[in-house]
Amino acid sequence: MMHTQSVTGVDVVVIGGGQAGLAAGYYLRRAGHRFVILDDQPTPGGAWPHTWPSLRLFSPAEFATLPGWPMPHWRGGFPPASHVVDYLTAYEARYDLPVERPVRVTAVRRDGPELVVEAGDRIWRARRVISATGTWQQPFWPIYPGARTFTGRQLHTVDYRTPDEFAGADVVVVGGGNSAAQLVAEISTTASTTWVTSRPPRFLADDVDGRVLFRVASERAMAIAAGRPDPGGPASLGDIVMVPEVREARDRGALQALPMFDRLTRDGVAWGTRVQHTDVIVWATGFRPALAHLRPLRLREHDGTIAVSGTRALKEPRLHLLGYGDWTGPGSATILGVGRTAKSAVAELDFDD
Ligand SMILES: Cc1cc2nc3c(=O)[nH]c(=O)nc-3n(C[C@H](O)[C@H](O)[C@H](O)COP(=O)(O)OP(=O)(O)OC[C@H]3O[C@@H](n4cnc5c(N)ncnc54)[C@H](O)[C@@H]3O)c2cc1C
């Protein structure tokens, strides 16, 4: 018989201990709530230890700051992912946030006035749950004809580490966002690289970096809060931030995108009758919210998201969603932006039941 350990005595369970979970923890502590943060990774940092090592933020450290304590300055320009990991590690220690890891939450269920959070043989009973599980565990792979026929290597952004392993190969990078552009910039230094996108890439102006994007996200949040028309998020300006590596790749002509191929062959990709030999396909095609643990609550809409008002799930008002993307608050999938949304999520926790 399975031994079940029941842990009670918390008002709020936060699922996920990345930047969003920590920002929630900061405000929960300030509000005096009893809470725990459950994270399935062995070490702090959320998604950041899983990015490719050369990834840098698209803004200076001062613009990648969680509530309370700024990210320490990085002298060499925009900080690398390892600096973010160090910061998040120090942040949770500084505020003595009660993070338990590794704890993989497998289900959240309703049980009378409480929500029950299950992780293996452990159970937490909570009055409110904040889900902040991010996206990195749900890489999105579009399906194209011939995907199983292709005998070369296929990998997703989340599997990518360095360009050295592709030296001399014919590589196709798929995707129109920042990851794709940065991977093309990097891989094209060692391999013959083709970039394909389903619509023409939209480059931001050279002087638009994270600072401008955060300002636009803030203006949007303020307009929505004041009941004014939504002026549109940063995506209205373009998609791709011209970080130095991407600018350099553009200047040497490596950022010419082709339309998306229509099928894979045994050893290539094809547009109609035109076939191009390919050893490796890198799918830089994004991620989806990691929401499998919420399945028992039956909240998902057709587009895979959960309908929210602010951060509160419409079909389960005891549940808040934090950090997954603009649908849970403007800029809430960024380090600076999530603080504002975490603050309002904690303020919106309503224990009147
Ligand atoms: C290529 C790239 C570049 C980026 N650059 C920037 C940038 O320059 N500036 C910026 O601000 N943002 C940037 N971002 C965006 C953003 O900061 C990250 O996506 C961020 O990691 C999201 O934080 P999060 O806390 O919401 O999720 P995560 O960091 O993914 O944290 C969620 C945590 O929950 C855990 N978890 C998942 N499921 C469960 C479960 N069932 N039970 C328990 N734990 C679970 C995860 O393992 C993880 O530890 C970038 C993102 C990418 C992909």
Side-chain angles (χ1 to χ4, degrees):
M1 201 177 79
M2 195 172 81
H3 172 70
T4 303
Q5 181 189 354
S6 181
V7 179
T8 51
V10 290
D11 299 323
V12 185
V13 170
V14 180
I15 308 172
Q19 62 203 34
L22 300 188
Y26 173 88
Y27 287 112
L28 287 166
R29 168 130 294 162
R30 271 216 330 198
H33 295 304
R34 294 170 307 159
F35 68 100
V36 64
I37 301 173
L38 307 177
D39 186 61
D40 65 358
Q41 294 302 295
T43 53
W48 292 101
H50 302 276
T51 64
W52 64 94
S54 67
L55 174 74
R56 284 176 181 274
L57 294 184
F58 51 70
S59 59
E62 294 70 24
F63 283 78
T65 269
L66 288 175
W69 180 52
M71 180 183 284
H73 181 66
W74 176 260
R75 270 194 293 159
F78 296 173
S82 60
H83 189 62
V84 184
V85 174
D86 291 345
Y87 171 58
L88 296 180
T89 306
Y91 186 91
E92 64 179 61
R94 182 186 184 95
Y95 293 109
D96 195 21
L97 296 176
V99 188
E100 289 208 30
R101 60 167 69 86
V103 175
R104 169 114 190 127
V105 172
T106 48
V108 179
R109 299 180 199 282
R110 299 181 178 93
D111 188 13
E114 294 170 327
L115 291 172
V116 175
V117 178
E118 299 176 2
D121 62 355
R122 300 178 71 185
I123 289 179
W124 283 260
R125 292 184 172 278
R127 297 174 68 197
R128 300 291 177 266
V129 167
I130 298 177
S131 186
T133 47
T135 60
W136 78 268
Q137 296 188 25
Q138 287 291 324
F140 173 66
W141 298 67
I143 298 172
Y144 276 83
R148 287 177 193 277
T149 320
F150 181 66
T151 53
R153 180 173 171 209
Q154 298 187 62
L155 69 158
H156 192 276
T157 322
V158 74
D159 309 309
Y160 174 78
R161 287 292 166 268
T162 78
D164 301 341
E165 55 182 307
F166 306 120
D170 290 334
V171 179
V172 171
V173 177
V174 184
N178 281 292
S179 300
Q182 291 184 27
L183 296 194
V184 171
E186 189 161 294
I187 295 171
S188 61
T189 61
T190 67
S192 162
T193 308
T194 304
W195 186 19
V196 299
T197 59
S198 54
R199 61 174 187 178
R202 302 187 317 148
F203 298 104
L204 289 158
D206 283 7
D207 59 349
V208 174
D209 63 21
R211 288 169 277 208
V212 177
L213 299 179
F214 291 127
R215 181 176 51 70
V216 174
S218 301
E219 287 167 2
R220 183 174 181 223
M222 284 190 289
I224 293 171
R228 294 196 302 272
D230 184 347
S236 60
L237 300 178
D239 300 314
I240 297 169
V241 183
M242 301 308 284
V243 295
E245 296 76 13
V246 173
R247 273 208 303 270
E248 184 275 323
R250 177 198 60 197
D251 295 346
R252 70 181 145 83
L255 284 190
Q256 306 293 334
L258 296 178
M260 188 60 200
F261 52 77
D262 45 51
R263 66 196 155 89
L264 289 74
T265 66
R266 225 179 74 79
D267 57 1
V269 297
W271 298 260
T273 53
R274 184 187 151 206
V275 178
Q276 176 169 314
H277 178 266
T278 306
D279 300 303
V280 181
I281 302 175
V282 184
W283 295 92
T285 40
F287 296 83
R288 297 288 182 265
L291 300 174
H293 56 294
L294 301 178
R295 216 171 270 152
L297 299 174
R298 299 178 153 276
L299 306 172
R300 283 181 96 131
E301 305 295 330
H302 293 304
D303 66 356
T305 65
I306 292 175
V308 287
S309 164
T311 57
R312 188 195 304 266
L314 287 181
K315 293 180 188 158
E316 176 44 86
R318 295 169 295 182
L319 172 72
H320 290 256
L321 293 129
L322 188 60
Y324 298 99
D326 273 3
W327 57 284
T328 56
S332 70
T334 62
I335 305 171
L336 185 66
V338 76
R340 179 178 45 224
T341 320
K343 185 177 187 180
S344 50
V346 171
E348 284 164 18
L349 290 175
D350 167 12
F351 291 99
D352 292 342
D353 59 19

